[in-house]
Short mmCIF file of all heavy atoms in Angstrom, two decimals:
data_model
loop_
_atom_site.label_atom_id
_atom_site.label_comp_id
_atom_site.label_asym_id
_atom_site.label_seq_id
_atom_site.Cartn_x
_atom_site.Cartn_y
_atom_site.Cartn_z
N LEU A 24 47.11 -75.53 53.12
CA LEU A 24 48.32 -74.72 52.93
C LEU A 24 48.70 -74.09 54.22
O LEU A 24 49.54 -73.30 54.43
CB LEU A 24 47.98 -73.65 51.99
CG LEU A 24 47.65 -74.21 50.56
CD1 LEU A 24 47.44 -73.10 49.60
CD2 LEU A 24 48.90 -74.94 50.06
N PRO A 29 54.25 -68.44 56.72
CA PRO A 29 55.64 -68.06 56.98
C PRO A 29 56.11 -68.58 58.45
O PRO A 29 55.26 -68.41 59.37
CB PRO A 29 55.59 -66.54 57.05
CG PRO A 29 54.21 -66.01 56.73
CD PRO A 29 53.38 -67.22 56.31
N PRO A 39 55.41 -75.10 46.60
CA PRO A 39 54.22 -75.12 45.67
C PRO A 39 54.37 -76.40 44.78
O PRO A 39 53.33 -76.59 43.89
CB PRO A 39 54.50 -73.89 44.81
CG PRO A 39 55.50 -73.02 45.56
CD PRO A 39 56.41 -74.13 46.33
N HIS A 50 43.85 -85.40 43.81
CA HIS A 50 42.71 -86.18 43.96
C HIS A 50 41.49 -85.54 44.29
O HIS A 50 40.40 -85.82 43.77
CB HIS A 50 42.97 -87.20 45.05
CG HIS A 50 44.06 -88.49 44.77
ND1 HIS A 50 44.05 -89.04 43.61
CD2 HIS A 50 45.09 -88.84 45.45
CE1 HIS A 50 45.03 -89.77 43.50
NE2 HIS A 50 45.64 -89.75 44.70
N TYR A 60 30.89 -84.00 36.05
CA TYR A 60 30.34 -84.72 34.90
C TYR A 60 29.12 -85.56 35.25
O TYR A 60 28.21 -85.63 34.49
CB TYR A 60 31.40 -85.78 34.35
CG TYR A 60 32.61 -85.01 33.73
CD1 TYR A 60 33.91 -85.26 34.11
CD2 TYR A 60 32.38 -84.01 32.83
CE1 TYR A 60 35.00 -84.66 33.42
CE2 TYR A 60 33.43 -83.38 32.16
CZ TYR A 60 34.68 -83.69 32.58
OH TYR A 60 35.71 -83.03 31.99
N GLY A 75 28.45 -58.94 34.49
CA GLY A 75 28.87 -58.34 35.69
C GLY A 75 28.69 -59.07 36.94
O GLY A 75 28.99 -58.78 38.08
N GLU A 90 44.87 -69.41 50.84
CA GLU A 90 43.67 -69.94 51.08
C GLU A 90 43.70 -71.40 50.82
O GLU A 90 44.28 -71.80 49.75
CB GLU A 90 42.62 -69.18 50.40
CG GLU A 90 42.49 -67.70 50.57
CD GLU A 90 41.42 -66.90 49.76
OE1 GLU A 90 40.24 -67.45 49.97
OE2 GLU A 90 41.93 -66.07 49.05
N ASP A 98 34.19 -72.26 46.24
CA ASP A 98 33.91 -70.98 45.42
C ASP A 98 33.74 -71.42 43.90
O ASP A 98 32.94 -70.63 43.20
CB ASP A 98 35.07 -69.92 45.56
CG ASP A 98 34.90 -69.46 46.99
OD1 ASP A 98 34.01 -69.64 47.76
OD2 ASP A 98 35.99 -68.75 47.44
N GLY A 106 28.30 -69.55 36.17
CA GLY A 106 28.69 -68.61 35.11
C GLY A 106 29.34 -69.50 34.02
O GLY A 106 29.82 -68.83 32.94
N ILE A 125 37.99 -88.61 28.58
CA ILE A 125 38.95 -89.00 29.73
C ILE A 125 40.44 -88.86 29.21
O ILE A 125 41.19 -88.36 29.78
CB ILE A 125 38.69 -90.39 30.29
CG1 ILE A 125 37.19 -90.40 30.89
CG2 ILE A 125 39.65 -90.77 31.38
CD1 ILE A 125 36.60 -91.57 31.20
N GLY A 136 51.65 -81.49 33.70
CA GLY A 136 52.47 -81.88 34.79
C GLY A 136 54.00 -81.76 34.48
O GLY A 136 54.79 -81.41 35.15
N GLU A 152 59.19 -85.36 18.90
CA GLU A 152 59.11 -86.62 18.19
C GLU A 152 57.75 -87.24 18.25
O GLU A 152 57.17 -87.82 17.31
CB GLU A 152 60.22 -87.54 18.62
CG GLU A 152 61.67 -87.05 18.41
CD GLU A 152 62.75 -88.12 18.25
OE1 GLU A 152 62.46 -89.25 18.25
OE2 GLU A 152 63.82 -87.56 18.27
N ARG A 197 52.41 -65.91 1.41
CA ARG A 197 52.68 -64.39 1.21
C ARG A 197 54.11 -64.14 0.93
O ARG A 197 54.60 -63.53 -0.19
CB ARG A 197 52.24 -63.55 2.40
CG ARG A 197 52.40 -62.08 2.25
CD ARG A 197 52.33 -61.46 3.57
NE ARG A 197 53.53 -61.79 4.47
CZ ARG A 197 53.60 -61.42 5.70
NH1 ARG A 197 52.74 -60.89 6.48
NH2 ARG A 197 54.95 -61.88 6.35
N ASP A 198 55.01 -64.70 1.73
CA ASP A 198 56.41 -64.47 1.65
C ASP A 198 56.99 -65.11 0.40
O ASP A 198 57.96 -64.66 -0.20
CB ASP A 198 57.17 -64.82 2.81
CG ASP A 198 56.91 -63.83 3.92
OD1 ASP A 198 56.17 -62.80 3.79
OD2 ASP A 198 57.48 -63.98 5.06
N LYS A 226 40.35 -62.56 9.32
CA LYS A 226 41.17 -62.16 10.50
C LYS A 226 42.55 -62.52 10.19
O LYS A 226 43.57 -61.61 10.36
CB LYS A 226 40.70 -62.80 11.80
CG LYS A 226 41.50 -62.32 12.96
CD LYS A 226 40.53 -62.57 14.18
CE LYS A 226 41.30 -62.07 15.46
NZ LYS A 226 40.57 -62.31 16.64
N GLN A 229 43.91 -59.96 7.69
CA GLN A 229 44.10 -58.82 8.38
C GLN A 229 45.27 -58.72 9.19
O GLN A 229 46.15 -57.71 9.11
CB GLN A 229 42.71 -58.57 9.29
CG GLN A 229 42.81 -57.61 10.42
CD GLN A 229 42.79 -56.19 9.76
OE1 GLN A 229 42.57 -56.05 8.64
NE2 GLN A 229 42.87 -55.30 10.54
N GLU A 365 70.99 -66.70 19.17
CA GLU A 365 72.12 -67.37 19.68
C GLU A 365 71.67 -68.20 20.95
O GLU A 365 72.16 -69.32 21.11
CB GLU A 365 73.15 -66.28 20.14
CG GLU A 365 74.36 -66.91 20.89
CD GLU A 365 75.19 -67.90 20.04
OE1 GLU A 365 75.34 -67.57 18.85
OE2 GLU A 365 75.65 -68.91 20.58
N LYS A 381 59.11 -74.48 16.65
CA LYS A 381 58.91 -73.11 16.74
C LYS A 381 58.85 -72.40 15.40
O LYS A 381 58.37 -71.38 15.30
CB LYS A 381 60.17 -72.51 17.56
CG LYS A 381 61.45 -72.51 16.96
CD LYS A 381 62.56 -71.91 17.70
CE LYS A 381 63.85 -72.13 17.09
NZ LYS A 381 64.13 -71.48 15.78
N GLN A 384 55.10 -72.24 13.47
CA GLN A 384 54.07 -71.61 14.28
C GLN A 384 54.41 -70.18 14.60
O GLN A 384 55.46 -69.68 14.42
CB GLN A 384 53.69 -72.47 15.49
CG GLN A 384 54.86 -72.44 16.55
CD GLN A 384 54.49 -73.17 17.68
OE1 GLN A 384 53.70 -74.02 17.67
NE2 GLN A 384 55.13 -72.81 18.79
N ARG A 401 45.29 -93.94 21.45
CA ARG A 401 45.47 -95.22 22.04
C ARG A 401 44.32 -95.79 23.04
O ARG A 401 44.05 -96.92 23.01
CB ARG A 401 46.85 -95.24 22.83
CG ARG A 401 48.00 -95.05 21.93
CD ARG A 401 49.28 -95.27 22.61
NE ARG A 401 49.39 -96.69 23.21
CZ ARG A 401 50.37 -97.09 24.03
NH1 ARG A 401 51.32 -96.32 24.31
NH2 ARG A 401 50.47 -98.31 24.47
N SER A 402 43.81 -94.78 23.65
CA SER A 402 42.65 -95.18 24.62
C SER A 402 41.45 -95.67 23.86
O SER A 402 40.70 -96.51 24.34
CB SER A 402 42.30 -94.07 25.43
OG SER A 402 43.22 -93.83 26.39
N HIS A 487 22.33 -70.22 16.31
CA HIS A 487 21.71 -69.93 15.06
C HIS A 487 22.73 -69.75 13.94
O HIS A 487 23.87 -69.49 14.14
CB HIS A 487 20.71 -68.77 15.15
CG HIS A 487 21.46 -67.45 15.09
ND1 HIS A 487 22.23 -67.00 16.17
CD2 HIS A 487 21.56 -66.53 14.07
CE1 HIS A 487 22.75 -65.81 15.91
NE2 HIS A 487 22.40 -65.48 14.58
N LEU B 19 39.56 -100.33 29.81
CA LEU B 19 38.68 -99.99 28.57
C LEU B 19 38.17 -101.23 27.97
O LEU B 19 37.53 -101.28 26.97
CB LEU B 19 39.52 -99.16 27.50
CG LEU B 19 40.04 -97.84 28.09
CD1 LEU B 19 40.85 -97.15 27.07
CD2 LEU B 19 38.86 -97.02 28.46
N PRO B 34 33.45 -92.25 26.54
CA PRO B 34 34.71 -91.46 26.73
C PRO B 34 34.64 -90.58 27.91
O PRO B 34 35.61 -89.89 28.22
CB PRO B 34 35.04 -90.84 25.37
CG PRO B 34 34.01 -91.48 24.53
CD PRO B 34 32.90 -91.87 25.25
N HIS B 45 42.71 -90.53 39.02
CA HIS B 45 43.41 -90.80 40.22
C HIS B 45 44.85 -91.44 39.82
O HIS B 45 45.93 -91.14 40.52
CB HIS B 45 42.79 -91.66 41.18
CG HIS B 45 41.70 -90.84 41.89
ND1 HIS B 45 41.79 -89.61 42.51
CD2 HIS B 45 40.26 -91.14 42.24
CE1 HIS B 45 40.64 -89.27 43.08
NE2 HIS B 45 39.87 -90.15 42.87
N TYR B 55 57.20 -86.21 40.37
CA TYR B 55 57.86 -85.06 41.03
C TYR B 55 58.69 -85.53 42.31
O TYR B 55 59.76 -85.08 42.40
CB TYR B 55 56.70 -84.09 41.63
CG TYR B 55 55.95 -83.30 40.67
CD1 TYR B 55 54.60 -83.43 40.59
CD2 TYR B 55 56.69 -82.65 39.57
CE1 TYR B 55 53.84 -82.60 39.79
CE2 TYR B 55 55.89 -81.92 38.67
CZ TYR B 55 54.52 -81.93 38.71
OH TYR B 55 53.92 -81.11 37.66
N GLY B 70 65.46 -89.03 16.71
CA GLY B 70 64.92 -90.31 15.98
C GLY B 70 64.63 -91.36 17.11
O GLY B 70 64.17 -92.44 16.64
N GLU B 85 43.48 -99.39 24.03
CA GLU B 85 44.57 -100.01 24.94
C GLU B 85 44.32 -99.29 26.33
O GLU B 85 43.85 -98.21 26.43
CB GLU B 85 46.01 -99.56 24.53
CG GLU B 85 46.22 -100.15 23.03
CD GLU B 85 47.60 -99.69 22.60
OE1 GLU B 85 48.61 -99.91 23.21
OE2 GLU B 85 47.61 -98.93 21.50
N ASP B 93 54.11 -96.96 29.18
CA ASP B 93 54.84 -96.45 27.88
C ASP B 93 55.40 -95.08 28.21
O ASP B 93 56.38 -94.73 27.65
CB ASP B 93 54.10 -96.47 26.66
CG ASP B 93 53.87 -98.03 26.23
OD1 ASP B 93 54.52 -98.91 26.83
OD2 ASP B 93 53.07 -98.29 25.39
N GLY B 101 62.81 -89.10 26.95
CA GLY B 101 62.96 -88.12 26.05
C GLY B 101 62.52 -86.74 26.44
O GLY B 101 62.36 -85.74 25.74
N ILE B 120 51.23 -76.67 42.19
CA ILE B 120 50.12 -77.45 42.41
C ILE B 120 48.88 -76.57 41.97
O ILE B 120 47.99 -77.07 41.26
CB ILE B 120 49.91 -77.84 43.89
CG1 ILE B 120 51.23 -78.69 44.31
CG2 ILE B 120 48.75 -78.57 43.98
CD1 ILE B 120 51.19 -78.98 45.75
N GLY B 131 38.82 -79.73 32.39
CA GLY B 131 37.53 -80.44 32.73
C GLY B 131 36.42 -79.74 32.16
O GLY B 131 35.43 -80.37 31.60
N ALA B 144 31.61 -66.78 33.00
CA ALA B 144 32.64 -66.89 34.06
C ALA B 144 34.04 -66.85 33.58
O ALA B 144 34.97 -66.24 34.26
CB ALA B 144 32.50 -68.15 34.84
N GLU B 147 34.68 -63.04 32.68
CA GLU B 147 34.64 -62.25 33.84
C GLU B 147 35.82 -62.62 34.85
O GLU B 147 36.37 -61.64 35.41
CB GLU B 147 33.32 -62.21 34.57
CG GLU B 147 32.17 -61.80 33.69
CD GLU B 147 30.89 -61.34 34.43
OE1 GLU B 147 30.92 -61.22 35.60
OE2 GLU B 147 29.92 -61.09 33.64
N ARG B 192 49.88 -50.86 14.02
CA ARG B 192 49.95 -50.77 12.56
C ARG B 192 48.72 -50.10 11.88
O ARG B 192 48.73 -49.30 11.13
CB ARG B 192 50.29 -52.22 11.94
CG ARG B 192 50.42 -52.22 10.48
CD ARG B 192 50.32 -53.80 10.00
NE ARG B 192 48.75 -54.21 10.04
CZ ARG B 192 48.49 -55.36 9.84
NH1 ARG B 192 49.33 -56.45 9.75
NH2 ARG B 192 47.18 -55.70 10.02
N ASP B 193 47.58 -50.74 12.33
CA ASP B 193 46.42 -50.42 11.57
C ASP B 193 45.88 -48.89 12.12
O ASP B 193 45.30 -48.12 11.28
CB ASP B 193 45.20 -51.29 12.00
CG ASP B 193 45.38 -52.58 11.15
OD1 ASP B 193 46.47 -52.62 10.42
OD2 ASP B 193 44.44 -53.49 11.24
N LYS B 221 59.89 -61.67 14.80
CA LYS B 221 58.98 -62.63 14.23
C LYS B 221 57.59 -61.96 14.18
O LYS B 221 56.96 -62.11 13.13
CB LYS B 221 58.92 -63.78 15.04
CG LYS B 221 58.02 -64.99 14.48
CD LYS B 221 58.46 -66.29 15.03
CE LYS B 221 57.48 -67.44 14.60
NZ LYS B 221 57.87 -68.73 15.02
N GLN B 224 57.42 -59.64 11.23
CA GLN B 224 57.63 -60.48 10.08
C GLN B 224 56.14 -60.98 9.68
O GLN B 224 55.56 -60.86 8.63
CB GLN B 224 58.41 -61.72 10.27
CG GLN B 224 58.44 -62.74 9.36
CD GLN B 224 58.94 -62.47 8.01
OE1 GLN B 224 59.47 -61.47 7.74
NE2 GLN B 224 58.82 -63.40 7.23
N GLU B 360 27.71 -63.54 11.77
CA GLU B 360 26.34 -63.82 12.23
C GLU B 360 26.19 -64.89 13.31
O GLU B 360 25.50 -64.80 14.29
CB GLU B 360 25.52 -64.17 11.02
CG GLU B 360 24.01 -64.49 11.24
CD GLU B 360 23.20 -63.37 11.85
OE1 GLU B 360 23.47 -62.14 11.48
OE2 GLU B 360 22.38 -63.56 12.78
N LYS B 376 37.74 -62.52 22.15
CA LYS B 376 38.16 -62.98 20.83
C LYS B 376 38.81 -61.78 20.08
O LYS B 376 39.47 -61.95 19.20
CB LYS B 376 37.07 -63.66 20.00
CG LYS B 376 35.85 -62.67 19.68
CD LYS B 376 34.73 -63.34 18.94
CE LYS B 376 33.66 -62.41 18.70
NZ LYS B 376 33.93 -61.18 17.87
N GLN B 379 42.73 -60.84 20.67
CA GLN B 379 43.75 -61.92 20.36
C GLN B 379 43.74 -62.42 19.01
O GLN B 379 42.79 -62.04 18.21
CB GLN B 379 43.60 -62.95 21.33
CG GLN B 379 42.22 -63.61 21.15
CD GLN B 379 42.08 -64.87 22.07
OE1 GLN B 379 42.77 -65.06 23.13
NE2 GLN B 379 41.22 -65.83 21.78
N ARG B 396 45.14 -67.19 44.85
CA ARG B 396 44.49 -67.67 46.07
C ARG B 396 45.25 -68.63 46.93
O ARG B 396 45.26 -68.57 48.13
CB ARG B 396 43.09 -68.07 45.81
CG ARG B 396 42.15 -67.03 45.22
CD ARG B 396 40.75 -67.26 45.18
NE ARG B 396 40.22 -67.58 46.60
CZ ARG B 396 38.95 -68.12 46.78
NH1 ARG B 396 38.18 -68.35 45.80
NH2 ARG B 396 38.62 -68.25 48.07
N SER B 397 45.86 -69.68 46.23
CA SER B 397 46.51 -70.75 47.00
C SER B 397 47.74 -70.21 47.62
O SER B 397 48.17 -70.84 48.62
CB SER B 397 46.85 -71.79 46.01
OG SER B 397 45.75 -72.53 45.55
N LYS B 405 57.73 -63.93 48.61
CA LYS B 405 58.77 -64.67 49.15
C LYS B 405 59.43 -65.74 48.15
O LYS B 405 60.49 -65.97 48.12
CB LYS B 405 58.07 -65.53 50.21
CG LYS B 405 58.10 -64.77 51.58
CD LYS B 405 57.89 -65.71 52.64
CE LYS B 405 57.82 -64.93 53.84
NZ LYS B 405 57.15 -65.60 55.03
N HIS B 482 73.40 -71.17 27.29
CA HIS B 482 74.38 -70.09 27.12
C HIS B 482 73.76 -68.81 26.46
O HIS B 482 72.71 -68.86 26.00
CB HIS B 482 75.51 -70.58 26.23
CG HIS B 482 75.08 -70.68 24.78
ND1 HIS B 482 74.18 -71.59 24.24
CD2 HIS B 482 75.37 -69.89 23.70
CE1 HIS B 482 74.09 -71.41 22.99
NE2 HIS B 482 74.73 -70.24 22.65
#
Side-chain angles (χ1 to χ4, degrees):
Chain A
L24 298 177
H50 286 317
Y60 292 130
E90 300 178 57
D98 290 348
I125 301 170
E152 297 203 10
R197 182 197 69 191
D198 285 3
K226 186 157 173 175
Q229 165 70 4
E365 178 63 37
K381 69 180 173 59
Q384 63 176 25
R401 292 193 61 185
S402 286
H487 78 287
Chain B
L19 298 178
H45 286 317
Y55 292 129
E85 300 178 58
D93 290 349
I120 300 170
E147 298 202 8
R192 183 197 69 192
D193 285 4
K221 187 157 173 175
Q224 165 71 4
E360 178 63 38
K376 69 180 174 58
Q379 62 175 25
R396 293 193 60 184
S397 286
K405 272 198 185 162
H482 77 285

